[in-house]
Amino acid sequence: MAVSGFEGFEKRLELHFSGDDPVAGLGLRQLDFDSLELVLHEVQCTVVSAVGNHYFDSYVLSESSLFVYPTKIIIKTCGTTKLLKSIRPLLHHANQMGLTLMRCMYTRGSFIFPKSQPYPHNSFKDEVVYLEETLPSNLCDRKASVLPSKFLAHKWHVFSARDVSYHVPHVLYTLEVCMTELDRVLARKFFRRPDDGKTGDTAGKEMTEATGINGINPNALICDFAFDPCGYSMNGIDGDRYSTIHVTPEDGFSYASFECVGSTYEDLDDVAKFLRKVVQVFRPGTMSVSTTCLSPEVWTRVAKGVEPLGMKCRSCTMDEFPAAGTVVFQTFTARRK
């Protein structure tokens, strides 16, 4: 294991708002690009590519992704970014639009290089203190918890807060997958040739096709980007649903993540299907899968998706969160281990 390197494990922040929308249907999507860039400046990342549709706007960042819906925003950043520093400027912009924060959800795995993280991400305790001090008082129903696993290096950190009048949608789920020890041959596909003369967008499109990522959800419109000399990010748009993948392919601290959202009414079969395809693209030695949903129908399908491909479930822990429902954290290793 490298002493130091790029931190692949992301921090993820999800904020939900309600209130009078001065421009019907747009809400947070009214934020102009310059305002978004100022928010991201606080986080210490920038936009490298973007695409949108009727439902939301999607941004590939220099460190992961941003999704902006009319009353919801999701930011996911890796490296040594200061994700929680985005909360105050986002609240400022939302308040100017007449929107009120109703729910906050913060999640992350265990950092590979925790000592490299800046404040307030030095520790989960510091992150929770920062969140407690930053969030408005109406989000009074709060809970912080660390879900353990069989492996000391793999834990799932969750903080949730909500206004007591906010009700979690029963049918929606979020799937967050973290993978380490990627197959070395497959990971090499996320390296660019020196002086290839290509843009990040062009090289990203080639990686999407060469690795089979475009086959994970063939219905999705993909916005992708390849970094130099290595690394890859993509956002997928499929109606009002997003998916996202980020890859740090360097040997010794290789990492890839996959995230998607869905509905238990329509997309339950997609859980196992997507996971199977993701495992085939990366062939990780170790992976964790976190599902957030009110229904048990989602997490029970995870193992069915990956175990036929040689992944063995090593641990499964769960906890209840008033602002999210049930979070289930499962870890898997390749049977060769």
Side-chain angles (χ1 to χ4, degrees), residues 180-201:
T180 56
E181 304 164 66
L182 309 182
D183 179 275
R184 291 184 179 183
V185 174
L186 297 177
R188 293 300 303 176
K189 296 181 179 181
F190 297 97
F191 282 79
R192 292 174 62 172
R193 293 180 179 177
D195 303 315
D196 61 12
K198 299 172 183 175
T199 65
D201 297 287

Side-chain angles (χ1 to χ4, degrees), residues 179 183 186 189 211-213 215-216 272-284 287 305-306 308-309 311:
M179 296 167 281
D183 179 275
L186 297 177
K189 296 181 179 181
T211 58
I213 286 175
I216 294 174
K273 181 178 68 176
F274 288 165
L275 285 174
R276 278 196 298 270
K277 292 181 178 180
V278 167
V279 170
Q280 289 171 336
V281 168
F282 297 105
R283 292 288 178 185
M287 70 182 296
V306 301
L309 297 177
M311 303 299 292

Side-chain angles (χ1 to χ4, degrees), residues 39-59:
V39 173
L40 295 173
H41 178 74
E42 295 294 317
V43 179
Q44 297 186 349
C45 60
T46 59
V47 174
V48 297
S49 192
V51 69
N53 65 8
H54 178 70
Y55 300 98
F56 66 102
D57 299 311
S58 157
Y59 301 87

Side-chain angles (χ1 to χ4, degrees), residues 9-15 17 38-45 61 63 65-66 73-92 101 103-108 111 117-136 139 142-144 157-161:
F9 274 89
E10 299 97 345
K11 319 163 183 87
R12 181 186 185 278
L13 179 69
E14 181 172 343
L15 302 174
F17 298 84
L38 287 173
V39 173
L40 295 173
H41 178 74
E42 295 294 317
V43 179
Q44 297 186 349
C45 60
L61 306 179
E63 279 85 8
S65 295
L66 165 68
I73 191 163
I74 298 129
I75 311 183
K76 186 170 186 171
T77 63
C78 55
T80 55
T81 49
K82 303 177 182 179
L83 175 60
L84 297 182
K85 295 284 188 178
S86 66
I87 296 176
R88 285 193 174 100
L90 285 173
L91 290 180
H92 170 73
L101 183 64
R103 175 188 183 234
C104 170
M105 186 81 172
Y106 175 70
T107 56
R108 68 168 175 84
F111 297 127
Q117 290 298 314
Y119 176 82
H121 300 286
N122 314 86
S123 68
F124 188 53
K125 179 180 178 181
D126 285 345
E127 291 171 323
V128 170
V129 169
Y130 187 88
L131 284 160
E132 294 276 9
E133 294 175 347
T134 305
L135 295 175
L139 270 65
R142 304 178 178 188
K143 180 175 179 177
H157 306 73
V158 183
F159 174 90
S160 73

Side-chain angles (χ1 to χ4, degrees), residues 291-295 299 318-321 324-328:
T291 55
T292 303
C293 187
L294 284 174
S295 168
W299 74 266
M318 61 184 70
D319 203 351
E320 301 289 333
F321 294 85
T326 304
V327 175
V328 181

